[in-house]
């Protein structure tokens, strides 16, 4: 049943030009960042040779690309997650799903996974971009793996939050602005956290992502991400069930 | 007697629904047998749509029980909903999809297996007069055709109970006649509940009529009884709801 909903979400996504435009735009920006970093690397390459243990191309070029990707996906997720439930509610199509022999959990998880499949495509393109560097030298695949995993988890967090906020309203635009607001707020947390360096940093999504970005797969960060995703998915299911009970 | 209970497809007892302090539906009882078409009448705000949303699991009742083909809708919603088809007041259509894509989605949601999918799709399009529209985008269809797609979605899995909320609103007289004959046809093998404001529609299509007023059922009789008494539906309706 979940597969049916994932397929439906993906086909809805790719019917509209929005997904294609976003895919192209993300790729364009990231390729540009990639080339700028490559250029910088070539310039300092001779100086790097003189250092005892110099950073490799993966650290200098690929890590910044992934860091940039996280920020771009933070901006893009609200645009895609806003439709998930808010638009269904505005067009009165949620009735079709609720009247069908499908549980609320299936609906919510199907929608979430549908969006994640789209982001997997985005991440796969970034990985392909990174691997293209193999033409010029050796790559640190461990670092690429930790970056990929981190980016996937942090995007899943963005999506889960976006899905929940989309379930609160019947206006997609409000869902988008709300999600963007909360995500930017969480980013601000990150800025504040790096200054005070206190307990606040545990709540920042991007702070946790930074660890993956540096090649550190930290179980605490993984636990935080998974907890974040599960919390917002459960809240979404509860919200939809609550509407049936009280709405 | 045992035969009669076996034919019971839908049974709702003492349904109540409150929105805060406002009671939308009170002590509603509905029983429906196979091959019966029930007309649900009532002025605006009488609780028809609320009742239908409760019967299809879109809204949880504040009190009462609902059984579809002997399966409790509140205990086993997924099993019960397999036997249900619902067309809400505003058809739940994805305007970006083509008719075929949309009906395929509805079929998959109702767990129709792959082998029979194409046959089921062709059959439902033929019944609803959508043979030519398969590749059209739903958003570009006229209101009447959109309504047909909505009905097709509700009957694609040949459910035992079909619930239609104002199915003929916004249709031209020819389309209305076609939809009515379709409902009659559906009423042979399944049970149908339809709500409407058009009294002549009830007279031509329904076997039984219930009139709701302020959340209560104020009238429940078969059309045959009504004809036998020689009273017209319009007189009864005005007397009871004014």
């Amino acid at each position: 049943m979940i597969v049916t909903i994932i397929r439906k979400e993906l086909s809805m996504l790719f019917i509209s030009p929005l997904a294609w435009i976003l895919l192209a735009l993300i790729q364009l920006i990231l390729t540009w960042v990639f080339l700028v970093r490559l250029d910088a690397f070539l310039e300092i390459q001779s100086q790097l040779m003189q250092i005892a243990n110099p950073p490799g191309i993966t650290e200098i070029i690929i890590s910044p690309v992934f860091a940039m990707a996280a920020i771009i996906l933070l901006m893009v997720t609200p645009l895609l997650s806003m439709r998930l439930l808010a638009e269904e509610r505005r067009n009165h199509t949620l009735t079709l799903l609720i009247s069908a022999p499908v549980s609320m959990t299936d609906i919510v998880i199907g929608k979430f996974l549908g969006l994640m499949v789209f982001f997997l495509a985005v991440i796969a393109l970034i990985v392909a971009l990174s691997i293209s560097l193999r033409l010029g030298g050796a790559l640190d695949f461990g670092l690429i793996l930790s970056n990929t995993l981190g980016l996937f988890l942090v995007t899943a967090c963005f999506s889960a939050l976006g899905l929940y906020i989309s379930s609160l309203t019947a206006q997609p635009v409000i869902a988008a602005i709300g999600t963007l607001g909360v995500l930017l707020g969480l980013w601000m947390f990150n800025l504040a956290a790096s200054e005070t360096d206190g307990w606040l940093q545990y709540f920042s999504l991007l702070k946790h992502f930074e660890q993956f970005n540096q090649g550190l797969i930290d179980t605490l960060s993984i636990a935080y991400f998974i907890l974040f995703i599960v919390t917002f998915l459960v809240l979404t299911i509860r919200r939809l069930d609550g509407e049936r009970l009280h709405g | 007697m045992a035969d009669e209970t076996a034919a019971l497809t839908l049974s709702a007892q003492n349904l109540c629904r409150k929105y805060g302090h406002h009671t939308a539906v009170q002590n509603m009882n509905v029983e429906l047998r196979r091959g019966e078409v029930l007309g649900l009448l009532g002025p605006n705000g009488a609780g028809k749509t609320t009742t239908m949303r409760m019967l299809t699991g879109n809204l949880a009742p504040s009190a009462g029980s609902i059984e579809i083909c002997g399966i409790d809708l509140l205990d086993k919603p997924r099993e019960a909903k397999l036997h249900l088809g619902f067309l809400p007041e505003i058809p739940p259509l994805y305007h970006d999809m083509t008719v075929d894509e949309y009906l395929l989605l509805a079929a998959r949601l109702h767990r129709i297996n792959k082998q029979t999918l194409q046959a089921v799709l062709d059959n439902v399009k033929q019944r609803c007069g959508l043979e030519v529209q398969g590749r059209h985008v739903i958003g570009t269809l006229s209101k009447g055709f959109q309504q047909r797609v909505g009905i097709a979605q509700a009957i694609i899995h040949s459910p035992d109970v079909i619930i239609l909320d104002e199915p003929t609103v916004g249709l031209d007289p020819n389309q209305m006649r076609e939809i009515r004959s379709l409902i009659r046809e559906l009423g042979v093998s399944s049970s149908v509940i339809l709500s409407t404001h058009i009294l002549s529609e009830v007279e031509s299509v329904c076997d039984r009529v219930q009139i709701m007023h302020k959340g209560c059922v104020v009238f429940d009789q078969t059309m045959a009884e009504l004809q036998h008494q020689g009273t017209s539906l319009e007189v009864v309706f005005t007397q009871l709801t004014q």
Side-chain angles (χ1 to χ4, degrees):
Chain A
M1 271 296 100
I2 292 183
V3 177
T4 309
I5 296 186
I6 295 176
R7 275 174 72 171
K8 179 225 143 205
E9 282 306 317
L10 281 175
S11 78
M12 295 281 290
L13 199 58
F14 284 109
I15 284 174
S16 76
L18 182 70
W20 296 104
I21 293 173
L22 285 178
L23 264 180
L25 216 60
I26 294 171
Q27 199 60 12
L28 188 76
I29 297 171
L30 289 179
T31 313
W32 183 68
V33 173
F34 179 80
L35 288 175
V36 167
R37 296 299 302 185
L38 185 64
D39 208 38
F41 175 77
L42 291 176
E43 239 167 59
I44 57 167
Q45 198 177 16
S46 55
Q47 292 157 31
L48 283 176
M49 299 290 258
Q50 291 155 13
I51 311 176
N53 197 357
I57 44 174
T58 320
E59 263 175 284
I60 293 184
I61 302 173
I62 295 173
S63 284
V65 170
F66 272 92
M68 188 66 189
I71 291 169
I72 293 175
L73 288 179
L74 184 147
M75 311 277 185
V76 165
T77 311
L79 291 177
L80 293 168
S81 68
M82 66 176 183
R83 316 167 18 265
L84 290 175
L85 286 161
E87 197 173 77
E88 297 246 15
R89 189 172 293 140
R90 196 178 57 169
N91 295 340
H92 304 272
T93 45
L94 210 51
T95 323
L96 177 75
L97 300 179
I98 295 175
S99 310
V102 189
S103 70
M104 288 292 184
T105 315
D106 288 350
I107 297 175
V108 169
I109 292 184
K111 282 179 172 290
F112 172 72
L113 290 180
L115 192 55
M116 284 324 292
V117 171
F118 173 80
F119 283 128
L120 266 182
V122 175
I123 293 171
L125 282 174
I126 303 172
V127 172
L129 190 69
S130 316
I131 290 178
S132 72
L133 268 185
R134 254 200 91 139
L135 292 173
L139 286 178
D140 179 353
F141 279 101
L143 186 59
I144 295 183
L145 181 76
S146 98
N147 265 304
T148 311
L149 181 67
L151 190 61
F152 179 74
L153 285 172
V154 85
T155 319
C157 291
F158 297 160
S159 306
L161 179 76
L163 182 61
Y164 173 60
I165 294 182
S166 177
S167 78
L168 298 177
T169 164
Q171 303 292 334
V173 177
I174 293 181
I177 294 172
T179 310
L180 187 64
V182 176
L183 286 178
L184 285 179
L186 281 171
W187 192 16
M188 298 302 242
F189 248 29
N190 184 32
L191 298 180
S194 43
E195 275 165 23
T196 56
D197 210 43
W199 53 273
L200 255 181
Q201 66 173 332
Y202 288 110
F203 291 95
S204 166
L205 287 174
L206 283 180
K207 190 80 188 169
H208 286 286
F209 173 68
E210 254 170 42
Q211 310 234 329
F212 287 91
N213 197 224
Q214 287 156 5
L216 188 68
I217 299 181
D218 183 7
T219 37
L220 176 72
S221 298
I222 295 184
Y224 177 71
F225 283 148
I226 290 176
L227 217 61
F228 192 97
I229 296 165
V230 171
T231 306
F232 281 103
L233 290 183
V234 169
L235 280 176
T236 313
I237 296 167
R238 281 193 59 99
R239 162 81 194 168
L240 289 183
D241 262 331
E243 218 160 78
R244 205 171 57 83
L245 293 170
H246 313 292
Chain B
M1 195 63 208
D3 204 12
E4 269 190 5
T5 42
L8 209 61
T9 51
L10 179 137
S11 136
Q13 305 296 332
N14 299 319
L15 278 189
C16 287
R17 175 71 208 192
K18 293 192 176 100
Y19 293 105
H21 291 294
H22 171 69
T23 307
V25 174
Q26 209 172 8
N27 284 330
M28 169 97 185
N29 292 303
V30 195
E31 277 195 351
L32 212 57
R33 288 170 208 293
R34 193 174 293 282
E36 197 175 30
V37 181
L38 170 71
L40 203 55
L41 287 175
N44 287 320
K48 302 189 296 290
T49 299
T50 305
T51 306
M52 291 187 150
R53 290 186 62 203
M54 283 196 286
L55 293 178
T56 54
N58 277 273
L59 206 61
S62 309
S65 68
I66 304 167
E67 275 188 10
I68 314 273
C69 297
I71 306 164
D72 194 307
L73 179 69
L74 304 171
D75 274 353
K76 296 178 183 165
R78 273 190 279 184
E79 285 80 356
K81 282 174 186 173
L82 267 178
H83 302 281
L84 265 178
F86 180 37
L87 171 71
E89 211 171 345
I90 302 163
L93 303 175
Y94 294 106
H95 289 257
D96 295 335
M97 286 188 182
T98 65
V99 173
D100 278 346
E101 283 170 345
Y102 178 75
L103 292 178
L104 269 177
L105 169 68
R108 287 206 191 96
L109 282 174
H110 287 100
R111 302 188 206 160
I112 292 173
N113 56 16
K114 272 191 189 134
Q115 289 82 23
T116 54
L117 212 54
Q118 196 55 45
V120 167
L121 194 69
D122 290 339
N123 177 271
V124 81
K125 282 198 290 184
Q126 188 255 324
R127 284 177 90 174
C128 298
L130 291 163
E131 293 102 328
V132 197
Q133 276 74 24
R135 289 169 167 274
H136 291 215
V137 174
I138 294 176
T140 62
L141 295 177
S142 68
K143 172 87 176 106
F145 276 111
Q146 289 189 357
Q147 195 73 22
R148 290 186 203 199
V149 179
I151 294 177
Q153 161 274 124
I155 64 173
I156 194 160
H157 50 298
S158 357
D160 297 304
V161 180
I162 301 166
I163 298 183
L164 308 167
D165 200 351
E166 306 197 1
T168 55
V169 162
L171 302 186
D172 70 40
N174 288 332
Q175 291 171 330
M176 263 189 208
R177 209 180 46 242
E178 282 168 19
I179 297 283
R180 278 179 204 168
S181 65
L182 178 64
I183 293 172
R184 270 265 49 115
E185 205 181 295
L186 293 171
V188 175
S189 54
S190 323
S191 320
V192 181
I193 301 184
L194 85 152
S195 81
T196 179
H197 286 297
I198 308 163
L199 297 178
S200 66
E201 189 166 284
V202 176
E203 279 165 345
S204 67
V205 173
C206 299
D207 305 308
R208 198 150 65 85
V209 58
Q210 288 196 349
I211 298 177
M212 289 187 79
H213 185 49
K214 293 183 177 164
C216 301
V217 178
V218 288
F219 181 83
D220 182 0
Q221 263 185 3
T222 62
M223 288 310 288
E225 282 171 354
L226 205 64
Q227 266 170 9
H228 189 69
Q229 289 167 7
T231 42
S232 86
L233 195 55
E234 199 175 340
V235 175
V236 176
F237 187 83
T238 2
Q239 272 175 3
L240 287 170
T241 58
Q242 253 181 0

